[in-house]
Amino acid sequence: MARFTLPRDVYHGKGSLENLKSLKGKKAVIVVGGGSMKRFGFLDRAEAYLKEVGFEVMIIDGVEPDPSVTTVMNGAAKMLEFQPDWIVAMGGGSPIDAAKAMWIKYEYPECTFEDMCKVFGIPELRKKAHFCAIPSTSGTATEVTAVSIITDYDKGIKYPIADFEITPDVAIVDSDLAETMPQKLVAHTGMDAMTHAIEAYVSTANCDYTDGLAIHAIEMIQENLVKSYNGDMVARAKMHNAQCLAGMAFSNALLGIVHSMAHKTGAIFQDKGAHIIHGAANAMYLPKVIAFNAKDETAKKRYGVIADYMKLGGANDDEKVALLIKYLRGMNDDLKIPHCIKNYGADSYPTEQGFVPEDVFLERLPSIAVNAIADASTGSNPRQPSPEEMEKLLKCCYYDTEVDF
């Protein structure tokens, strides 16, 4: 027996932000990030729509990229004081993910962060508030997923919170918001979406309900991501829909070790002056993980199906897998994303010597591998790596060497 869960309502298309007026309640808190929603006028519009239908509104702003446990706890404390019956999260994946975790703490003040991280262990929500998510980026799809990513900066580790309870009640996918993305963000979020769709399709939890969503998302991303990156706003709107479809797929089919590795390498080198941005990490690791997973016959066949839908050619599954890897590496080139950690600059662009020194990487490699295997995304990967294999795979992702094991 399996489960397929999505928001109760998904409003989409240009101008769909106005559907905030369909919410019913007395108090709403709006959670936003670093200022772009205010700067482009979307926060003011959202607040006005809510007030128009009788809501008292409070703003929680300043959620940082890769939101911290501290941010979550502080936001929940403000919610406990205000007592909203709607939580509206608006912006990139970070404010929406943070608001999901705040929601848990608001409804269950005694719940610790460790409690939140127990996979599918969150108690029933919606006793105090419902949740509306409005994405401004085209990648995380957290507006339709049962996942939130929160960073424990003391440990340098990103932790996924996973439970159908935190699937939003309402998602508003308005492409007007996506038009504000800078070019680099288009690239990173787009490859995050591509990774979601591919990992969902080959996941051991895939099913008839998720396969169609994943495949169509892959086709749309192939057609529109590079165009969106180069400024085509029609393609930008298509990408906003494609990433949402990919999210619907992976929220139910789950993910794989591309995400496990990205979660555990993203913040672990912060003491060296930068993070490995999540979407860029996914883009770098995805070709390597495809090569690793394709040693499993079932996964290889499913990668072959993906290559067929992408019209890449190939006379057999081995050729199709090779062509898929080549195509994805070409997309990274088009989007100015490096191929490996060694060449990942602090600004995320390719460089001769990246910000992560080789000796630091090798010193931290064993613990990164252990943490990646323990990540919630690993269980649904089609091939389960040993700690030794995970270390070898991470080395391939550092040096951009072939995966032959």
Side-chain angles (χ1 to χ4, degrees), residues 278-358:
H278 179 71
N282 283 340
M284 292 190 296
Y285 307 163
L286 178 59
K288 304 302 184 189
V289 170
I290 290 173
F292 176 80
N293 283 343
K295 304 295 191 295
D296 175 270
E297 286 300 318
T298 300
K300 180 163 68 174
K301 284 184 173 59
R302 293 185 76 80
Y303 288 131
V305 172
I306 290 171
D308 286 341
Y309 275 99
M310 293 175 72
K311 299 179 173 57
L312 301 182
N316 54 54
D317 286 332
D318 288 320
E319 290 184 7
K320 292 173 185 178
V321 168
L323 288 166
L324 176 59
I325 290 171
K326 181 180 178 181
Y327 186 91
L328 293 170
R329 287 175 64 90
M331 284 189 80
N332 287 347
D333 289 335
D334 290 340
L335 300 169
K336 294 184 173 61
I337 296 173
H339 290 298
C340 62
I341 299 170
K342 180 171 67 71
N343 300 133
Y344 183 94
D347 59 359
S348 84
Y349 290 121
T351 184
E352 186 68 26
Q353 178 56 57
F355 82 94
V356 181
E358 181 181 26

Side-chain angles (χ1 to χ4, degrees), residues 356-367:
V356 181
E358 181 181 26
D359 60 334
V360 173
F361 171 79
L362 292 174
E363 178 188 348
R364 299 180 188 180
L365 177 60
S367 63

